[in-house]
């Protein structure tokens, strides 16, 4: 039995198609990467899984249970944790307090147990040293780690990662990949949306491309990245290009031209339906 199953899920905002008859399964402990151009519906897909959005048609099931009409808080308590493209900490609270709230409210842990869970999440993400630092004073990598730590504190069996590598340097991306690898080694399934393709190929066993509310290609990262339609749509590459020729996602190409690794995330209000 699949851990997560989307069965012919459709979602539209007026004439804008976010998801068109999507069917998708993820098994317990699996690692899945999702790529696709801006506006493809990737973040909205996470909304449909996490409960931030309700499908207009179709069914979402988790651990054998129909959760289509459950809200995000209920889904979180069942074991679906997620991060956001733009980290959303309580900036005036310390790092530990941020994670403690997640353990108590999302993970339903009682006081003594919640302290242990919060401490464990900080250790797993490597930010124990920042426990007493106000979240608003953290740098980007530490904020990304905190975002993951808060999701972990809810006790997920499925972790949704939304572009957590965006804006990071190459060494920082490597650190993040190792953190996520350790999380997956605990048996937690991971679905990772990312423009930094090298981060996905370093971790995930399976990849798919989302475009126009539909999935294009599904297989190993090598298979999907060699798919002519994926290369043409996502990378803007000649579909006849040799499949072993290296490619860069659009965000990566833009960053190289500007001397960075990846550009900063645009304002969240401009990407909420990406």
């Amino acid at each position: 039995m699949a851990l997560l199953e989307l069965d012919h899920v459709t979602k539209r905002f007026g004439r804008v198609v976010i998801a068109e008859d999507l069917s998708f399964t993820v098994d317990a402990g699996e690692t899945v990467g999702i790529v696709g151009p801006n506006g493809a519906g990737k973040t909205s897909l996470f909304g449909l899984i996490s409960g931030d959005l309700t499908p207009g048609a179709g069914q979402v099931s988790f651990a054998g249970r129909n959760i289509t009409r459950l809200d995000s808080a209920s889904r979180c308590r069942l074991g679906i944790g997620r991060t956001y493209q733009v980290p959303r900490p309580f900036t005036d609270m310390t790092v530990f307090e941020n994670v403690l709230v997640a353990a108590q409210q999302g993970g339903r842990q009682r006081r003594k147990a919640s302290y242990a869970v919060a401490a464990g999440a900080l250790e797993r993400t490597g930010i124990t040293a920042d426990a007493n630092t106000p979240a608003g004073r953290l740098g980007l990598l530490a904020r990304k780690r905190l975002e993951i730590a808060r999701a972990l504190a809810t006790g997920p069996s499925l972790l949704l990662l939304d572009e957590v590598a965006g804006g990071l340097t190459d060494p920082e991306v490597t650190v993040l990949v190792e953190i996520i690898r350790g999380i997956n080694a605990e048996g937690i399934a991971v679905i990772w949306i990312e423009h930094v393709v090298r981060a996905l190929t370093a971790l995930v066993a399976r990849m798919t491309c989302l475009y126009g509310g539909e999935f294009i290609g599904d297989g190993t990262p090598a298979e999907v990245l060699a798919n002519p339609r994926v290369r043409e749509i996502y990378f803007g590459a000649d579909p006849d290009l040799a499949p072993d020729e290296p490619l860069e996602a659009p965000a990566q190409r833009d960053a190289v031209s500007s001397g960075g690794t990846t550009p900063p995330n645009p304002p969240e209000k401009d990407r909420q339906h990406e």
Side-chain angles (χ1 to χ4, degrees):
M1 180 180 67
L3 176 65
L4 172 72
E5 181 175 6
L6 273 63
D7 185 16
H8 299 285
V9 169
T10 296
K11 179 67 177 179
R12 296 184 178 92
F13 293 104
R15 295 183 179 181
V16 179
V17 178
I18 299 301
E20 183 64 42
D21 199 35
L22 289 182
S23 292
F24 180 65
T25 62
V26 176
D27 293 333
E30 192 174 9
T31 52
V32 181
I34 298 178
V35 297
N38 289 335
K42 301 185 298 297
T43 293
S44 294
L45 171 66
F46 270 11
L48 291 167
I49 296 171
S50 67
D52 292 332
L53 295 175
T54 302
Q59 179 173 302
V60 181
S61 300
F62 184 72
R65 175 177 176 178
N66 183 349
I67 62 169
T68 310
R69 301 302 164 188
L70 291 184
D71 61 21
S72 57
S74 298
R75 296 191 197 192
C76 177
R77 289 164 184 160
L78 286 176
I80 299 177
R82 73 163 296 179
T83 68
Y84 290 85
Q85 292 178 20
V86 179
R88 303 176 173 183
F90 299 108
T91 55
D92 293 332
M93 296 171 62
T94 67
V95 166
F96 183 80
E97 289 167 342
N98 268 270
V99 181
L100 188 64
V101 168
Q104 292 178 349
Q105 301 302 315
R108 297 181 117 177
Q109 297 290 336
R110 296 187 179 275
R111 179 164 298 187
K112 186 174 181 179
S114 68
Y115 278 74
V117 168
L122 293 181
E123 183 175 357
R124 291 151 76 191
T125 52
I127 52 172
T128 300
D130 293 317
N132 295 319
T133 302
R137 290 172 50 190
L138 296 178
L140 182 59
L141 176 59
R143 283 193 177 220
K144 301 272 189 173
R145 293 191 191 196
L146 174 56
E147 189 77 356
I148 297 172
R150 294 200 304 167
L152 285 178
T154 66
S157 51
L158 172 64
L159 180 61
L160 309 177
L161 300 174
D162 196 349
E163 296 193 29
V164 291
L168 301 180
T169 65
D170 286 350
E172 289 172 338
V173 169
T174 299
V175 169
L176 203 65
V177 167
E178 290 309 309
I179 289 172
I180 298 166
R181 193 189 308 280
I183 291 168
N184 178 246
E186 299 172 9
I188 298 173
V190 174
I191 306 177
W192 189 354
I193 291 171
E194 192 55 72
H195 279 299
V196 184
V197 179
R198 67 183 178 281
L200 294 184
T201 57
L203 178 77
V204 303
R206 176 181 155 210
M207 182 181 286
T208 188
C209 179
L210 188 64
Y211 177 71
E214 299 178 358
F215 287 122
I216 301 168
D218 191 293
T220 66
E223 290 170 343
V224 172
L225 295 177
N227 183 304
R229 193 174 179 203
V230 172
R231 294 167 73 83
E232 181 179 18
I233 290 171
Y234 181 41
F235 295 102
D238 182 341
D240 295 325
L241 197 66
D244 59 349
E245 188 163 338
L247 292 172
E248 292 175 327
Q252 292 172 270
R253 292 200 307 269
D254 294 344
V256 170
S257 65
S258 63
T261 302
T262 54
N265 286 319
E268 186 174 347
K269 65 180 181 181
D270 295 333
R271 302 186 61 170
Q272 58 184 342
H273 299 314
E274 182 179 320

